[in-house]
Amino acid sequence: MSIHEMISTHPHVAGHTNDPLTKAIAACYECAETCTSCADACLGEKPDMLPNLTQCIRLNSDCADICNAAGRIATRRTGSNEALIKSVLAACAEAAQRCGDECGKHAEMHEHCRICAEACRRCVAACNEAVGTISA
Amino acid sequence: MSIHEMISTHPHVAGHTNDPLTKAIAACYECAETCTSCADACLGEKPDMLPNLTQCIRLNSDCADICNAAGRIATRRTGSNEALIKSVLAACAEAAQRCGDECGKHAEMHEHCRICAEACRRCVAACNEAVGTISA
Amino acid sequence: MSIHEMISTHPHVAGHTNDPLTKAIAACYECAETCTSCADACLGEKPDMLPNLTQCIRLNSDCADICNAAGRIATRRTGSNEALIKSVLAACAEAAQRCGDECGKHAEMHEHCRICAEACRRCVAACNEAVGTISA
Amino acid sequence: MSIHEMISTHPHVAGHTNDPLTKAIAACYECAETCTSCADACLGEKPDMLPNLTQCIRLNSDCADICNAAGRIATRRTGSNEALIKSVLAACAEAAQRCGDECGKHAEMHEHCRICAEACRRCVAACNEAVGTISA
């Protein structure tokens, strides 16, 4: 299953998917999963490292929340709510930008932050591209 | 318990809460709950009414998702992510405005839509007021 | 708005609410909000206290997730999924029991843990009572 | 990124992943995404088909909620909460079983239900296998 394949079966979509949008949805969900895992991995680091990771845990948690909401909202194709999809994907790009920057600072020390920073950057790029395709 | 009381105990807040913000958090959570219930109540209406309620169900679902994310994100006081709180509350106000307008159309026919429209309007007002207090 | 009032307007419920169930839903949502806030408040504590709070943050996060899912699932009255409501409320009681026990250990030191332990206990009691009313 | 790769970098896991567990997490997240999309696609079907799909929409919504919570909870490796992971994955298998059975009834008529029924079945199998590996 890919979210692209699933959305292409929606009766109102009928195969005519907005490809940047389906890529953004997949990137949002991936980023939500990665940030949830990175927040937890940061929390599991040694006591002397922990104080340096609290901002990272907070940004990871926020990013996971908005990415998950964005993935769900941008998936829906019944009726319309395009302006909200645009706002939510923009908020998602903003959250992932800040989270990716913070994770990037810890990327050499913590492999989970390195992987998470990459997922955040993919999410930023995919959301920004999708936002450009929505006229609302 | 009120979310206000809880946040006032945060070590970085130390009793100095931003009251419009704590009111917005409570309004977001209330709106998320109400919209989840209204989506389900709309879905349970008689078959002949159902086609007229699909846009309402979709807007309810979207509103519940962004309100829940906003409630969680705006609660966090460790470190900082103020610009995102502002964006998310603004997106929340936008979602609740559209959802409240749609529910308002069905308010005379369906009591759940009348109650939900009111929760949406409170959410819009509370989010807009909180956004005005955040300099980010 | 109360979740009780909202559910009483559902076309299939028609005023005949299961009161222990609506109380459990409200308690689940309250517990989700409180645990989200407590996880963040624990994370904001001083560096020397932080290592002693990582298990608390983890249990808070887990409890918030299952309580939120339980609140949403137990709200739905269209069609039926009673056996799942029972399982989810039981899982919720389990999560809140463990989280409340952990928060209780920190209640004298941290006011947010004291408040959270109380919300968890109310959630355990309300979920257990509701589970007893569901024959599935 | 795979959730497996991400969890393998957790400081307490240190490469020693529980493979059935990481597969269950991925299956839960996939099922949550698919069910969110299927609920929306069902809602977009023609008015005369809609009344026959309300139970499917409800089960999809419930399944998405518990799968998302399960994916998040089962991801965490800091501290411990194994008994809850077991309960949540079991609840997830139960939700996906019922949802997959219902979607299966509409699989010949609706491609989205066919794809969703498969995602549900993979989720049931993966959760059940993971439950068997957790001694809690």
Side-chain angles (χ1 to χ4, degrees):
Chain A
M1 194 283 307
S2 70
I3 197 70
H4 179 90
E5 181 192 1
M6 192 67 197
I7 290 176
S8 72
T9 68
H10 189 291
H12 303 184
V13 174
H16 300 287
T17 53
N18 171 340
D19 291 356
L21 183 61
T22 58
K23 280 179 192 165
I25 295 165
C28 283
Y29 277 130
E30 183 204 30
C31 194
E33 295 178 31
T34 312
C35 285
T36 299
S37 187
C38 192
D40 173 62
C42 286
L43 190 66
E45 291 293 346
K46 294 206 185 74
D48 62 325
M49 288 175 173
L50 209 41
N52 199 34
L53 291 167
T54 56
Q55 170 72 350
C56 194
I57 293 171
R58 191 257 171 93
L59 297 180
N60 274 147
S61 303
D62 286 354
C63 193
D65 288 338
I66 186 67
C67 281
N68 189 40
R72 290 169 61 95
I73 291 169
T75 291
R76 296 191 183 105
R77 305 284 87 213
T78 295
S80 73
N81 208 7
E82 299 311 292
L84 182 67
I85 292 180
K86 204 166 179 170
S87 301
V88 169
L89 290 177
C92 204
E94 184 185 349
Q97 179 71 54
R98 285 210 70 199
C99 186
D101 286 352
E102 181 66 30
C103 275
K105 294 181 197 168
H106 311 288
E108 285 192 30
M109 186 78 90
H110 304 301
E111 180 70 359
H112 49 83
C113 284
R114 190 190 64 72
I115 297 174
C116 192
E118 285 180 10
C120 286
R121 278 179 213 124
R122 279 194 296 275
C123 184
V124 173
C127 286
N128 284 337
E129 195 183 336
V131 163
T133 67
I134 302 168
S135 48
Chain B
M1 191 290 301
S2 69
I3 197 70
H4 179 89
E5 181 192 1
M6 192 66 196
I7 289 176
S8 72
T9 68
H10 189 290
H12 302 186
V13 174
H16 300 285
T17 53
N18 171 339
D19 291 356
L21 183 61
T22 59
K23 280 179 192 164
I25 295 166
C28 284
Y29 277 130
E30 184 204 29
C31 194
E33 295 177 32
T34 311
C35 285
T36 299
S37 187
C38 192
D40 173 63
C42 287
L43 190 67
E45 292 293 346
K46 293 206 185 76
D48 62 325
M49 289 176 172
L50 209 42
N52 200 34
L53 291 168
T54 56
Q55 171 72 351
C56 195
I57 294 170
R58 191 257 170 94
L59 296 182
N60 274 147
S61 304
D62 286 355
C63 193
D65 288 338
I66 186 68
C67 280
N68 189 41
R72 291 168 60 94
I73 291 169
T75 292
R76 296 191 182 104
R77 306 282 87 211
T78 295
S80 73
N81 208 7
E82 300 311 293
L84 182 67
I85 292 180
K86 204 165 179 169
S87 302
V88 169
L89 290 177
C92 204
E94 184 185 349
Q97 178 72 54
R98 286 210 68 200
C99 185
D101 287 350
E102 182 67 29
C103 276
K105 294 181 197 168
H106 311 287
E108 286 192 29
M109 185 78 91
H110 304 301
E111 179 70 358
H112 48 83
C113 283
R114 188 190 64 72
I115 298 174
C116 193
E118 285 180 10
C120 286
R121 278 179 213 125
R122 279 194 296 275
C123 184
V124 172
C127 287
N128 284 338
E129 195 183 336
V131 163
T133 67
I134 302 169
S135 49
Chain C
M1 192 286 304
S2 70
I3 198 71
H4 180 88
E5 181 192 1
M6 190 67 197
I7 290 175
S8 72
T9 69
H10 189 290
H12 302 185
V13 174
H16 300 286
T17 53
N18 171 340
D19 292 355
L21 183 62
T22 59
K23 280 180 192 164
I25 295 166
C28 284
Y29 277 131
E30 183 203 32
C31 194
E33 295 178 31
T34 311
C35 285
T36 299
S37 188
C38 192
D40 172 62
C42 286
L43 191 67
E45 291 294 346
K46 293 206 184 75
D48 62 324
M49 289 176 172
L50 210 40
N52 199 34
L53 291 167
T54 55
Q55 171 73 349
C56 194
I57 294 171
R58 191 258 169 93
L59 296 181
N60 274 147
S61 304
D62 286 355
C63 192
D65 288 339
I66 186 68
C67 280
N68 189 41
R72 292 169 60 96
I73 291 168
T75 291
R76 298 191 181 103
R77 304 283 87 213
T78 295
S80 73
N81 208 7
E82 300 311 292
L84 183 66
I85 292 180
K86 205 166 180 170
S87 301
V88 169
L89 290 177
C92 204
E94 184 186 349
Q97 179 72 53
R98 285 210 68 199
C99 186
D101 286 350
E102 181 67 30
C103 276
K105 294 181 198 167
H106 311 287
E108 285 193 29
M109 184 78 91
H110 304 300
E111 180 69 0
H112 48 82
C113 283
R114 190 190 63 74
I115 298 173
C116 192
E118 286 180 10
C120 286
R121 279 179 214 123
R122 280 194 295 276
C123 184
V124 172
C127 286
N128 283 338
E129 195 183 337
V131 163
T133 68
I134 303 169
S135 49
Chain D
M1 195 285 305
S2 70
I3 197 69
H4 179 89
E5 181 192 0
M6 191 66 197
I7 290 176
S8 72
T9 68
H10 189 290
H12 303 185
V13 174
H16 299 287
T17 54
N18 171 340
D19 291 356
L21 183 62
T22 59
K23 280 180 191 163
I25 295 166
C28 283
Y29 277 129
E30 183 204 29
C31 194
E33 296 178 30
T34 311
C35 285
T36 299
S37 187
C38 192
D40 173 63
C42 287
L43 190 66
E45 291 295 345
K46 294 206 184 73
D48 63 324
M49 289 175 172
L50 210 40
N52 199 33
L53 291 167
T54 56
Q55 171 73 349
C56 194
I57 294 171
R58 190 257 170 94
L59 296 181
N60 274 147
S61 303
D62 285 356
C63 193
D65 288 338
I66 186 67
C67 280
N68 188 41
R72 291 169 60 94
I73 291 169
T75 291
R76 296 192 182 103
R77 303 285 89 212
T78 295
S80 74
N81 208 8
E82 300 311 294
L84 182 67
I85 293 180
K86 204 165 180 171
S87 302
V88 169
L89 290 177
C92 203
E94 184 186 350
Q97 179 71 54
R98 285 210 69 198
C99 185
D101 286 350
E102 181 67 30
C103 275
K105 295 181 198 167
H106 311 287
E108 285 192 30
M109 185 77 90
H110 304 300
E111 180 70 359
H112 48 83
C113 283
R114 190 191 62 73
I115 298 174
C116 192
E118 286 180 11
C120 286
R121 278 178 214 124
R122 280 194 297 274
C123 184
V124 173
C127 286
N128 284 337
E129 195 183 338
V131 164
T133 67
I134 302 170
S135 49

